[in-house]
């Protein structure tokens, strides 16, 4: 997928829960080579965030704590890795 038209304007990635399998879409219009978020680190951050949704995680309030599941990229850890809090949340949900 590579578009900047609605409903994808400003959207880097999207998760959709489906029966049997989930669907993750990453928008190359923003994540492709040479684009604003086209570096490896940004793509990793967006992909990890969308995978978090597939694992059952919702957006987290960045004023409460730093999380890969923050709704905006500028509130996420720039290295694209889950925070210690994200890991605790994962274990609380999945064991």
């Amino acid at each position: 997928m590579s578009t900047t038209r609605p409903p994808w304007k400003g959207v880097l990635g999207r998760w959709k829960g489906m029966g049997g399998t989930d669907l993750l879409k990453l928008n190359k219009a923003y994540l492709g080579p040479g684009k604003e978020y086209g570096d490896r680190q940004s793509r990793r951050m967006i992909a990890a965030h969308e995978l978090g949704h597939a694992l059952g995680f919702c957006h987290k309030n960045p004023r409460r704590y730093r999380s890969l599941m923050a709704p905006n990229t500028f509130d996420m850890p720039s290295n694209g890795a889950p925070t210690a809090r994200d890991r605790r949340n994962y274990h609380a949900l999945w064991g």
Side-chain angles (χ1 to χ4, degrees):
M1 133 114 15
S2 181
T3 185
T4 58
R5 291 183 295 201
W8 283 90
K9 184 175 182 168
V11 176
L12 306 178
R14 189 168 278 159
W15 161 82
K16 182 178 182 181
M18 301 173 68
T21 187
D22 290 345
L23 179 65
L24 301 177
K25 289 187 177 182
L26 302 179
N27 192 348
K28 291 180 186 176
Y30 301 104
L31 300 172
K35 303 297 181 179
E36 183 177 2
Y37 297 97
D39 60 284
R40 184 177 182 198
Q41 192 169 320
S42 293
R43 287 191 307 267
R44 174 186 166 151
M45 178 177 60
I46 301 307
H49 174 90
E50 297 307 329
L51 285 169
H53 286 307
L55 288 170
F57 296 105
C58 61
H59 287 146
K60 304 300 181 200
N61 183 341
R63 289 178 289 193
R64 295 195 63 213
Y65 58 87
R66 195 153 173 80
S67 172
L68 188 58
M69 296 309 299
N72 299 299
T73 56
F74 51 82
D75 289 321
M76 294 177 195
S78 60
N79 64 2
T83 65
R85 182 70 177 259
D86 290 326
R87 288 184 192 90
R88 285 194 304 272
N89 289 344
Y90 172 86
H91 290 291
L93 185 61
W94 292 102

